[in-house]
Amino acid sequence: MIDPLPLISVIVPVYKVKKYLRKCVDSILAQTYTNLEIILVDDGSPDNCGIICDEYAAKDSRIKVIHQPNGGLSAARNAGLDIATGDYIGFVDSDDYIAPDMYEKLYNALIENDADVSICNYEYVDDMYQTMNVYSPMENKIYGYIEAINNLFVEYYCYYVTVWNRLYKSELLLTLRFEVNKKFEDAFIAHHIFLKCQKIVTIKDKLYYYLQRNDSIMGYKLSVSKTDELEAMFQRIKYLQRNCISIDFEKAERQFIDTYKEFKKSFIPKSKEEKKRIKEIDSYARIIYKQSKQIFNFKEHIIFNIIPIYPFIAKVKKSVYLFIKLLKFCLNQLFSDYVLLNLPVYGNLGDQAIAVAEIKLFNNQGLKALEVNEDLVDSVGDLFYKYLKKDKTVIICGGGFFGCLWRIAEEKYINRPIKLLPKNRIIVFPQTVTFDLDSESGKQYFKMSKEILYSHPDLTVFVREKKSLDFMKQYLPQVRTNLVPDIVLTLDIPQFDLSRDGIVFCLRTDKEKLLESEDALKKIIKEKYPDYIISRADNLVNHCIMPEDREKEVYVQLEKFASSKLVVTDRLHGMIFAAITATPCIAFDNSNGKVGSIYDEWLKDNEYIKFCKTEDDLTKALSELDLGKEYVFNNRKIKEGLKALEEVLNG
């Protein structure tokens, strides 16, 4: 007789989530790992959540329901822990949902590595369940408890703090419970759990879907509850010090200091209770300051000696800084005909390369353009558009966010300026258009976008491949649309004095990913080139890129490509970076087909770029490429295609 799989208890706190609860519970019931005990804790929810919980319990014997007076998230999780009988414990918040194989993969990772906790990446989703393309740091890796605790102090510490993107051995939680009446309750318990572990395993799969609700606890609006996170950080530092746990205390204290500074700059207490709470946190800050003065810079020494009035100083400083930036923007408009709007500061090197190429295009054309980075628009909000003169031509940055694939980006970068600048001439630089007309929500979103686009009297859209052009002509015929190349294809590349060596993989990890197995590709390539080292060169970096660093960071990445024997990529700008550096390239498609479409339209005449759909295509492409040959980028078609854009700009 085969032993049954161990029991996993899944604890779900439920409060005011009527809209989301069924999707959450359905995703747990659909798990490929079926030996589950699902504990739904109705935490005094005033809507019909308790009834919904009972309905599910009547349908599936694996479900248990607890009804209790409202006590908060921690109390609900603790109630679930009190009755859980599983060998392993998992948590799911009731407005989130999980991938069908989440617990199977977490269980397998835990067993195969003889670990105590297994942790996966998670994906942020909006209210329409569209993924938000947030950087995910987890790799397939094993940690000891000291390493895991040190990860609580890294930039993306939230992935190691949260309790719901993981599976625990149940004995870890026998004597531990969540802090009641605290927000950021995960932060109070994370180090205590890791201290009980011998091994912690992480996997890179995104298996948990974390909903960003406008009305949720964590839907970000700074409040006094942020002090709970600061208290948790402080308690963690003191506990580890008292127990002589050898971790990087300088990094831990720096995390507290930086979080404290940002909070104090942005939050002004109003009520007596808030002021009292802030004083408590100020006292923690003074303790950290007194014991670790050596890690403070001169400015911080001043801050920690004027703690009571620092919020006022920070607020004045922020207001003055913003005023100066707006004043500078208004004055610079007098000397510019074009406004390049919302240039990126986020760490996507493809989008940063677009900004570099756009700026160079204007300079080469002798056109005066004012660069406006997205952080200025974000700081001022919609009020920014009132400062933008009506006689300026507004350029919306090119990219791949036109449509529903990246809805948040389209709303921010396309829909909002079009709505708020009805009297300006607007030109959308080369885009890929992706709308979903098969689903009801997709149709509704397209209808809304169409109304916005049609409302503007002077709008021109440039697209970078024929598939997008055909869509615009068929479904948005009233919008002036032209086909031109991706603007990065126009970049002039310096002659890098480099010898080529090794193979670079530049592959997606977000929702545009179409490739199933990176390992299968590596195996085929290793058979052909067993002596070449394979390395990675991600076009996403986990830091902001400010205007003064933009060109440097893009050219550093281009230099990586130019020094490689071969690039394997499913990123559009991975293929384009290879093309303009004349680097042999194997390109695979992404989910909306833009890689293949742009290859067909602009790059197929370059023999060193090979577009593949299957593994058989890869084998054939490798046999046709000569990695020892010096290639030259054929940009004749690019120059011809660019004329339509130049004519509109100069018209």
Side-chain angles (χ1 to χ4, degrees), residues 218-261:
M218 301 295 290
Y220 195 71
K221 181 179 179 183
L222 191 64
S223 73
V224 73
S225 65
K226 183 72 172 177
T227 59
D228 288 345
E229 183 179 28
L230 284 160
E231 181 182 354
M233 290 178 178
F234 177 78
Q235 284 191 12
R236 185 187 306 143
I237 291 169
K238 302 310 291 182
Y239 181 89
L240 296 171
Q241 287 175 336
R242 285 195 306 271
N243 289 277
C244 301
I245 308 299
S246 181
I247 56 100
D248 189 341
F249 284 107
E250 184 171 315
K251 185 180 286 186
E253 288 161 346
R254 172 52 54 187
Q255 179 193 58
F256 177 89
I257 293 162
D258 291 342
T259 306
Y260 173 78
K261 282 165 53 182

Side-chain angles (χ1 to χ4, degrees), residues 46-61:
D47 53 13
N48 291 330
C49 286
I51 296 173
I52 295 172
C53 290
D54 290 336
E55 287 177 2
Y56 273 99
K59 294 176 184 177
D60 196 307
S61 61

Side-chain angles (χ1 to χ4, degrees), residues 580-596:
I580 61 181
T581 57
T583 304
C585 175
I586 303 289
F588 291 88
D589 224 339
N590 70 321
S591 64
N592 67 355
K594 65 185 177 186
V595 179

Side-chain angles (χ1 to χ4, degrees), residues 180-230:
V180 179
N181 298 322
K182 296 287 186 185
K183 301 295 191 292
F184 299 93
E185 65 290 327
D186 305 2
F188 286 90
I189 200 173
H191 59 289
H192 291 292
I193 295 174
F194 286 153
L195 283 169
K196 290 175 172 283
C197 298
Q198 293 298 315
K199 282 185 189 176
I200 298 94
V201 60
T202 61
I203 60 176
K204 65 182 180 180
D205 305 63
K206 292 183 178 182
L207 302 173
Y208 189 98
Y209 296 92
Y210 178 32
L211 182 67
Q212 296 297 282
R213 291 163 48 196
N214 291 331
D215 63 338
S216 70
I217 296 172
M218 301 295 290
Y220 195 71
K221 181 179 179 183
L222 191 64
S223 73
V224 73
S225 65
K226 183 72 172 177
T227 59
D228 288 345
E229 183 179 28
L230 284 160

Side-chain angles (χ1 to χ4, degrees), residues 133 342-352 374 397-399 401 409 412-413 540-541 543-546 550:
N133 192 33
N342 277 315
L343 294 181
V345 296
Y346 52 84
N348 184 312
L349 291 172
D351 290 345
Q352 292 289 344
E374 61 172 336
C397 226
F401 48 81
K412 177 180 178 180
Y413 301 127
L540 288 178
V541 296
H543 59 264
C544 292
I545 300 176
M546 303 314 291
R550 179 178 290 136

Side-chain angles (χ1 to χ4, degrees), residues 93-104:
D93 284 356
S94 50
D95 50 358
D96 301 332
Y97 60 101
I98 59 178
D101 55 353
M102 174 170 148
Y103 284 120
E104 180 181 2

